């Protein structure tokens, strides 16, 4: 995926799957259910790039970019990223580039196979380019960025 395609995806967060396919932004692939009854559907665009849709409306709500594999079945993204983002970053790098986060959470112990995490920091995206959207930097235990999460600030549901 190139930088332009990335920026288009981030810009289109909040758009329905049907519209994204009609615009040629996404391939006409079936959205998958990770487990039965889940209120979100997924689409893996390429290794390390996953899109999440709200089941009820099929609205694209979250773009996950995996930078560090934390479990064996996970794919890592190795392509291009928009300016200000790097394939290898630490929390210190994030704070130096983005400043003070709008929200933050320290290390958390998750169930196996994930285990201990480094927490996360959240920043609003440029409101002129990406209104109502934010990026969340999720950290591994050693405080390297493991996942970039581009999502809506207010999804309008739980």
């Amino acid at each position: 995926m190139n930088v332009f395609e990335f920026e288009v995806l981030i810009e289109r967060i909040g758009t329905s799957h049907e519209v994204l396919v009609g615009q040629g932004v996404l391939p006409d692939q079936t959205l998958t259910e990770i487990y039965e009854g889940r209120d979100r559907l997924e689409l893996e665009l390429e290794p390390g790039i996953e899109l999440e849709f709200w089941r009820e409306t099929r609205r694209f709500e979250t773009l996950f970019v995996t930078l560090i594999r934390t479990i064996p079945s996970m794919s890592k993204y190795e392509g291009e990223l928009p300016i200000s983002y790097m394939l290898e970053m630490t929390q210190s790098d994030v704070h130096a580039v983005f400043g003070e986060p709008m929200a933050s959470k320290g290390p958390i112990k998750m169930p196996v196979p994930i285990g201990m995490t480094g927490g996360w920091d959240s920043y609003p995206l440029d409101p002129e380019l990406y209104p109502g959207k934010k990026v969340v930097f999720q950290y591994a235990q050693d405080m390297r960025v493991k996942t970039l999460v581009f999502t809506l600030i207010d999804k309008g549901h739980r």
Side-chain angles (χ1 to χ4, degrees), residues 37-56:
R38 188 163 190 253
D39 54 9
R40 290 171 176 82
L41 300 170
E42 315 253 328
L43 176 65
E44 185 175 350
L45 273 187
E46 62 181 77
I49 300 290
E50 204 169 288
L51 283 63
E52 192 173 75
F53 298 79
W54 183 246
R55 175 189 286 278
E56 192 175 303

Side-chain angles (χ1 to χ4, degrees), residues 30-122:
T30 304
L31 300 177
T32 58
E33 182 178 51
I34 291 182
Y35 58 84
E36 192 174 330
R38 188 163 190 253
D39 54 9
R40 290 171 176 82
L41 300 170
E42 315 253 328
L43 176 65
E44 185 175 350
L45 273 187
E46 62 181 77
I49 300 290
E50 204 169 288
L51 283 63
E52 192 173 75
F53 298 79
W54 183 246
R55 175 189 286 278
E56 192 175 303
T57 61
R58 299 175 66 87
R59 178 176 73 170
F60 172 35
E61 293 189 339
T62 308
L63 167 63
F64 295 93
V65 183
T66 302
L67 304 180
I68 297 174
R69 290 179 52 198
T70 54
I71 56 175
S73 63
M74 190 179 280
S75 297
K76 175 182 167 181
Y77 178 69
E78 298 190 19
E80 296 179 30
L81 291 171
I83 272 188
S84 301
Y85 303 96
M86 298 172 284
L87 292 175
E88 293 185 22
M89 296 185 285
T90 65
Q91 185 181 47
S92 297
D93 297 329
V94 170
H95 289 179
V97 172
F98 293 90
E100 187 71 26
M102 73 176 187
S104 194
K105 177 92 173 164
I108 311 165
K109 185 171 184 175
M110 299 291 288
V112 171
I114 297 172
M116 206 58 197
T117 73
W120 53 265
D121 289 319
S122 176

Side-chain angles (χ1 to χ4, degrees), residues 122-147:
S122 176
Y123 295 86
L125 294 175
D126 182 334
E128 289 186 26
L129 296 174
Y130 308 108
K133 296 168 186 131
K134 67 181 177 180
V135 61
V136 179
F137 295 88
Q138 295 179 338
Y139 303 108
Q141 188 173 5
D142 63 4
M143 302 314 284
R144 291 181 300 150
V145 177
K146 69 174 185 165
T147 311

